[in-house]
Amino acid sequence: MKIIIAGAGEVGFHLAKLLSYESQDITLIDTRKESLAYADSHLDIRVLKGDATSVSVLQDAQVDSSDLVIAVTASETTNLTLCMLAKQLGCKRTIARISNTEFVEHKELIKFEQLGIDELISPEELAATEIQLLLNQSAFNDTYEFEDGALIMLGVSLPKSAPFVGKMVKEAAEIFPELHFMPIAMQRRGTQYTLIPRGDTVFNEEDQVYFITDKKGVDELYKLLGKKKEEIRNVMILGGSKVGLNTARDLCGNRFNVKLIEKSKEKAFEIADALPNALVINGDCRNVELLDEESLESMDAFIAVTGNSETNIMSCLVAKSRSIKKTIALVENMDYFQLSQSIGVDTLINKKLLAANHIFRHIRKGEVVALTRLNNLNAEILEFVVKPKSEVAGNIIKELDFPRSAIIGGVIRDGEGIIALGNFRITPGDRVVVCCLPRAIPKIEKLFL
């Protein structure tokens, strides 16, 4: 695919890096020479200095023959204008990064497609949504919902008490035949190697395992893992950033008791006016005494979303020392994900990764309606819609020429999630959830074309 990315900031550079690994034809546009110089020397892409809303710059980038324009500059106005221009100049598809979440909320009212903007993304809103999902499944450190929860992906570090520790996948399936979940990916403790589980794969203590389950299977997983589904009601949020504000607004709307701590006095007053149902405190979040004074130990969850990754991690560690059930830290440095299991924070989230996940489904071949990359694992989970002429249509799963580095986790049929085993027959219109390693992606895409 020929892809133009406008904006060489964190999200733009991260996307360019991921797409260049896949040998996509990438052009990166930015007004800052230093940002482009770093990208030019580290990535196999074309860089172009200039204003992305300039018609001559877009023509130089060959926008008329491009498949996708991704506008992720710091300016919302620039992103929207660029997408409109790119579509007029012949680009097939456009995606704009926005900061005003009202645009996403009212996209049915405002026909953005008619303006030339095919997709709107807000990394801050994606992060807030991710946080709420994590609070709803408090015992797990990673989660993702397909089709409003018809199928759910849950990630967890296996405790010693889990009854299938030490057993092979096929042995666990024989012991618990009535269960409604399936392991789709795992990472051994202390390694960075991603496994797609097979029947002879053994579950070990402290493996990071990802399961696909339906609604019935969530409670079963809690029970088997010896974890309680803790009710989370009292939440402390550190930082009045856009992520903090969006998260607080979402949680207040769902009747959580929210305390938000913001260092800037002016911003604290603005947030207090915007969120009358939240308790907003003006103070330095690095002050442990302040956290204790605000009854940190009585909180069910602690969410650190300041602009400083290290402050977020350290604050969460303080919260963990007070026996807080759930801690979530926003981090900018992707390298921290490799330390996530040993740091001691329940979950790390990253806006760049969330935005990239959302955008990547437009790059995959076949009708991909959802995609997520697993935190710190070299694997993708894709949701394909089965077309009548797809190779998988009408076939039984075990008879498919499916690569060993991929697995079907479940199928959504008529809005109902099904844990699909080998004898399940796939039909047109099914939504199939597949977990695969990067090397298997071309073959998987071909099966669903």
Side-chain angles (χ1 to χ4, degrees):
M1 282 180 83
K2 185 175 176 55
I3 301 168
I4 296 170
I5 300 172
E10 291 177 340
V11 176
F13 179 80
H14 183 64
L15 270 170
K17 182 168 75 170
L18 291 176
L19 292 168
S20 69
Y21 290 163
E22 300 197 353
S23 304
Q24 306 282 4
D25 181 0
I26 309 296
T27 300
L28 182 63
I29 304 173
D30 201 285
T31 54
R32 297 164 300 170
K33 190 176 180 180
E34 61 276 10
S35 298
L36 291 175
Y38 185 81
D40 193 28
S41 60
H42 286 77
L43 306 176
D44 183 19
I45 62 172
R46 181 190 176 204
V47 299
L48 197 57
K49 183 180 178 297
D51 180 356
T53 59
S54 161
V55 174
S56 59
V57 169
L58 288 173
Q59 287 174 332
D60 193 8
Q62 299 173 343
V63 70
D64 58 326
S65 60
S66 63
D67 298 295
L68 180 65
V69 163
I70 305 170
V72 286
T73 72
S75 166
E76 179 178 78
T77 306
T78 298
N79 296 338
L80 295 172
T81 305
L82 166 59
C83 288
M84 294 179 206
L85 288 171
K87 207 60 180 283
Q88 291 282 323
L89 292 168
C91 174
K92 292 188 181 121
R93 193 160 184 83
T94 62
I95 300 173
R97 174 187 179 173
I98 56 160
S99 53
N100 184 350
T101 55
E102 277 193 338
F103 288 155
V104 177
E105 291 161 15
H106 299 294
K107 63 181 177 182
E108 302 302 322
L109 192 63
I110 304 164
K111 307 295 182 188
F112 284 98
E113 293 90 347
Q114 292 176 14
L115 298 173
I117 305 157
D118 294 307
E119 185 83 18
L120 298 169
I121 61 157
S122 164
E124 293 78 18
E125 184 62 27
L126 291 171
T129 303
E130 177 81 356
I131 288 167
Q132 186 151 340
L133 280 173
L134 288 163
L135 293 183
N136 290 339
Q137 305 296 349
S138 57
F140 299 92
N141 54 28
D142 201 356
T143 182
Y144 189 86
E145 288 189 356
F146 297 90
E147 305 305 313
D148 297 323
L151 287 176
I152 305 164
M153 183 220 52
L154 297 167
V156 66
S157 178
L158 287 185
K160 189 177 181 179
S161 58
F164 40 80
V165 165
K167 293 182 172 59
M168 290 189 289
V169 170
K170 61 184 177 185
E171 290 174 332
E174 288 167 7
I175 297 167
F176 309 107
E178 73 289 352
L179 296 183
H180 300 85
F181 57 82
M182 176 185 287
I184 55 164
M186 65 166 63
Q187 187 180 68
R188 301 295 191 199
R189 186 193 175 197
T191 74
Q192 292 180 26
Y193 181 65
T194 304
L195 286 171
I196 299 295
R198 293 288 162 191
D200 57 357
T201 305
V202 177
F203 291 109
N204 293 336
E205 181 187 350
E206 293 190 36
D207 280 349
Q208 175 68 19
V209 183
Y210 289 83
F211 296 94
I212 287 284
T213 179
D214 57 19
K215 288 173 181 173
K216 290 178 274 187
V218 174
D219 290 334
E220 293 170 354
L221 261 177
Y222 271 105
K223 203 179 294 181
L224 268 180
L225 295 168
K227 294 178 179 286
K228 285 195 293 184
K229 191 165 187 176
E230 305 275 8
E231 186 183 15
I232 289 181
R233 275 286 154 246
N234 300 315
V235 180
M236 184 177 282
I237 299 174
L238 230 57
S241 61
K242 285 179 183 173
V243 176
L245 180 61
N246 288 343
T247 301
R249 184 185 290 120
D250 290 351
L251 295 180
C252 286
N254 285 300
R255 299 186 179 177
F256 285 81
N257 302 318
V258 177
K259 277 187 183 180
L260 188 149
I261 300 176
E262 167 54 41
K263 189 177 179 183
S264 161
K265 190 172 183 179
E266 186 182 350
K267 191 184 273 189
F269 274 105
E270 286 175 8
I271 294 168
D273 288 339
L275 302 174
N277 295 328
L279 176 59
V280 181
I281 297 143
N282 173 223
D284 190 342
C285 58
R286 293 169 297 185
N287 185 342
V288 177
E289 285 183 11
L290 172 67
L291 298 179
D292 286 334
E293 282 171 16
E294 295 303 331
S295 306
L296 173 61
E297 74 286 345
S298 68
M299 294 293 123
D300 300 315
F302 184 88
I303 302 163
V305 288
T306 73
N308 186 293
S309 301
E310 290 74 21
T311 297
N312 294 341
I313 289 170
M314 293 307 296
S315 302
C316 281
L317 292 178
V318 171
K320 210 66 189 165
S321 72
R322 305 295 195 274
S323 302
I324 303 299
K325 297 169 192 169
K326 186 77 173 177
T327 55
I328 301 170
L330 180 72
V331 297
E332 292 304 322
N333 190 333
M334 297 294 290
D335 295 334
Y336 288 141
F337 275 92
Q338 296 174 5
L339 305 169
S340 58
Q341 290 181 16
S342 56
I343 283 176
V345 179
D346 290 321
T347 307
L348 303 179
I349 61 170
N350 178 280
K351 289 187 294 182
K352 292 178 285 186
L353 191 63
L354 292 169
N357 285 350
H358 199 75
I359 290 168
F360 251 71
R361 64 192 173 95
H362 298 283
I363 288 133
R364 294 281 166 249
K365 293 172 186 168
E367 194 175 336
V368 178
V369 289
L371 180 151
T372 185
R373 282 174 172 244
L374 301 177
N375 286 348
N376 198 31
L377 267 73
N378 190 26
E380 285 185 16
I381 302 180
L382 303 105
E383 181 188 349
F384 289 96
V385 177
V386 178
K387 298 175 183 174
K389 293 183 179 178
S390 297
E391 204 173 311
V392 296
N395 285 313
I396 292 170
I397 289 175
K398 66 182 179 184
E399 293 176 357
L400 292 170
D401 182 20
F402 223 71
R404 284 191 63 83
S405 49
I407 187 170
I408 292 177
V411 174
I412 299 167
R413 181 176 289 170
D414 299 325
E416 184 185 348
I418 303 161
I419 303 304
L421 302 177
N423 291 318
F424 185 87
R425 189 180 296 278
I426 296 170
T427 61
D430 284 349
R431 292 174 175 245
V432 180
V433 176
V434 179
C435 180
C436 55
L437 302 185
R439 64 177 178 270
I441 287 171
K443 189 164 187 179
I444 294 298
E445 288 175 335
K446 193 177 172 188
L447 287 169
F448 286 91
L449 276 175

